[in-house]
Amino acid sequence: PDEIVIVHEVAHNVRHIYMNVPHSNPVKTAFMGESVGHWEGNTLVIDTLGVDPRTWIDEVGLIHGPKLHTVERIRKVEGGRALENEVMIEDPDYYPHPWFMRDTYAWRPDLRIAEYSCEENNRNRPVNGHTVAK
C-alpha cells in the first residue's frame, strides 16, 4: 500500500512510485525522477518530477529540461485484457503548452521479464532491417 515498483526489462530500470505522500522538498533529480501516486477509483494516478534532463521522453530521443512534469493515469481496459496509460507532459522551457499521449499495453501472461541485452537474448532483434518480435 505504500509503494508500487515497476521493473523495466530494457536497461534494467526500476521505478518506485511512493503512494499517498507529497513530493520531497526539494525534489532530487534522478534518471527515473521522483514519482508519487494515489488511486482515484480504479485509476492509478502518478505525478513525476525531477527527471534528469539527460534522459529522453520517448525512444526516438524527444528531449526535455529540468522542469519536466508528467501525470499518468493508468487503468485496466478491454475487460482487464490491457492497461491504458494516459500521460500529460509539460515542460514550459521546451514546449509551449502541455501535451498528451496514450499507450495501451496488452496483458501478456505468456511473457516474463528476462535479462535484456541488445547483444544477446533480444526478442525484438532486427532481421534484414525489420524488427522481429519472438
Side-chain angles (χ1 to χ4, degrees):
D2 297 331
E3 180 181 9
I4 293 174
V5 177
I6 299 175
V7 179
H8 297 261
E9 186 174 88
V10 176
H12 309 286
N13 288 321
V14 177
R15 183 176 181 201
H16 299 270
I17 302 157
Y18 300 99
M19 300 298 291
N20 303 309
V21 297
H23 280 288
S24 301
N25 187 9
V27 172
K28 294 179 183 174
T29 300
F31 274 88
M32 300 298 288
E34 178 186 270
S35 296
V36 297
H38 66 274
W39 290 97
E40 291 180 3
N42 291 329
T43 301
L44 175 62
V45 180
I46 306 168
D47 188 288
T48 302
L49 298 170
V51 178
D52 191 302
R54 293 177 289 177
T55 65
W56 297 341
I57 291 175
D58 61 6
E59 293 180 5
V60 179
L62 196 58
I63 62 173
H64 66 87
K67 294 180 185 173
L68 176 69
H69 176 214
T70 64
V71 177
E72 298 168 82
R73 301 180 67 78
I74 301 173
R75 66 188 181 106
K76 289 182 181 180
V77 294
E78 299 176 18
R81 295 186 315 274
L83 285 179
E84 176 185 79
N85 188 5
E86 295 181 339
V87 186
M88 184 276 305
I89 298 166
E90 62 181 348
D91 185 334
D93 293 338
Y94 282 74
Y95 305 103
H97 53 80
W99 54 279
F100 299 83
M101 60 164 280
R102 179 181 307 164
D103 274 329
T104 303
Y105 305 96
W107 172 246
R108 292 290 309 269
D110 58 314
L111 296 178
R112 299 206 185 272
I113 294 177
E115 179 182 84
Y116 179 92
S117 170
C118 291
E119 291 77 25
E120 298 176 0
N121 302 324
N122 189 345
R123 64 183 160 143
N124 297 319
R125 63 184 168 75
V127 175
N128 299 327
H130 300 283
T131 300
V132 177
K134 292 182 184 179

